[in-house]
Structure formats: C-alpha cells, structure tokens
C-alpha cells in the first residue's frame, strides 16, 4: 500500500524555478528517510537529494548543491524539492523514493524540462 505521487513538473526556461511535491502514504512517513532521484534521457537514475526523518539533515548531489532544497512536512506527509536557477542539464524525470523493510518504492515520476 506504499504510494508516492509526484507533482509540480513542467516546462521552465533556464534560470527559472519549480517546486516538486511528493505525497506519501501507506507507511510511517515521519520515521523514513526520503529521497529524490532523476533520470535524464539516455542516462541512468541519479540521486538528487535526501532528507532524514525530521528534516534536520539533508544531502545533495554536487550538481544541484546551492540551487535545490529538499524539505518535508510530517503533518501532511509531503516531501518537496525546490529547484532554483534551473539549467538545461536538469531536464529529467524526477522520482520520489523510499526504502522500506520489504523493498524500495518509487513514485511514477514527474517531467521537468528546462529549455528556452
């Protein structure tokens, strides 16, 4: 019953911003590390950002550090990815992710396209 549903993707010009959202259900959200991955055309999935259970610790890929911010709301069971100063190389499908005792779970993905 684990569900992760991403939203907020779209087309944006270089230098623009988007905020992605992930709605989580079916597990104890406030004890779980959450992650955002992305997959660009012709490439494998790469870790973008991660956040611990209470939001007190975050990690970012070097390519997005200083531009992206991961956050969470444990009341709403939501995790967010604020993306600023977007570059064409950020174009990818972005996925919300959680690892549970019985496996790993992915959202359906949301497309982000950065183009002029």
């Amino acid at each position: 019953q684990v569900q992760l549903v991403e939203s907020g993707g779209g087309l944006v010009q270089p230098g623009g911003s988007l905020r992605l959202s992930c709605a989580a259900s079916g597990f104890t959200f406030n004890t779980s590390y959450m992650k955002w991955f992305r997959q660009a055309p012709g490439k494998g999935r790469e870790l973008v950002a991660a956040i611990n259970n209470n939001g007190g610790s975050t990690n970012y890929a070097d390519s997005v550090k200083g531009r992206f911010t991961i956050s969470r709301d444990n009341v709403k069971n939501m995790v967010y990815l604020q993306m600023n100063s977007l570059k064409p190389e950020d174009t990818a499908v972005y996925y919300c992710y959680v690892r549970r005792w019985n496996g790993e779970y992915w959202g359906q993905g949301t497309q982000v396209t950065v183009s002029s």
Side-chain angles (χ1 to χ4, degrees):
Q1 294 181 231
V2 173
Q3 280 195 298
L4 302 170
V5 181
E6 303 98 332
S7 61
L11 175 64
V12 65
Q13 294 184 338
S17 297
L18 285 173
R19 190 193 195 204
L20 306 184
S21 298
C22 173
S25 62
F27 64 98
T28 308
F29 180 80
N30 63 9
T31 66
S32 300
Y33 277 80
M34 301 297 298
K35 297 178 179 179
W36 286 97
F37 285 78
R38 68 185 181 186
Q39 186 168 20
K43 300 183 67 176
R45 290 187 185 183
E46 61 178 354
L47 178 65
V48 176
I51 189 167
N52 77 333
N53 61 312
N54 64 7
S57 180
T58 58
N59 290 287
Y60 300 93
D62 287 342
S63 59
V64 307
K65 194 170 297 182
R67 300 187 298 120
F68 290 12
T69 303
I70 188 171
S71 61
R72 68 192 297 157
D73 185 334
N74 284 350
V75 174
K76 298 180 178 179
N77 286 6
M78 298 285 290
V79 60
Y80 307 98
L81 186 67
Q82 178 67 46
M83 305 185 296
N84 299 326
S85 302
L86 283 161
K87 304 174 180 179
E89 51 263 44
D90 295 319
T91 296
V93 178
Y94 285 71
Y95 298 90
C96 189
Y97 170 93
V98 66
R99 177 181 288 275
R100 302 296 298 162
W101 65 269
N102 60 341
E104 60 183 22
Y105 298 89
W106 301 86
Q108 84 288 350
T110 186
Q111 176 71 48
V112 173
T113 302
V114 185
S115 177
S116 59

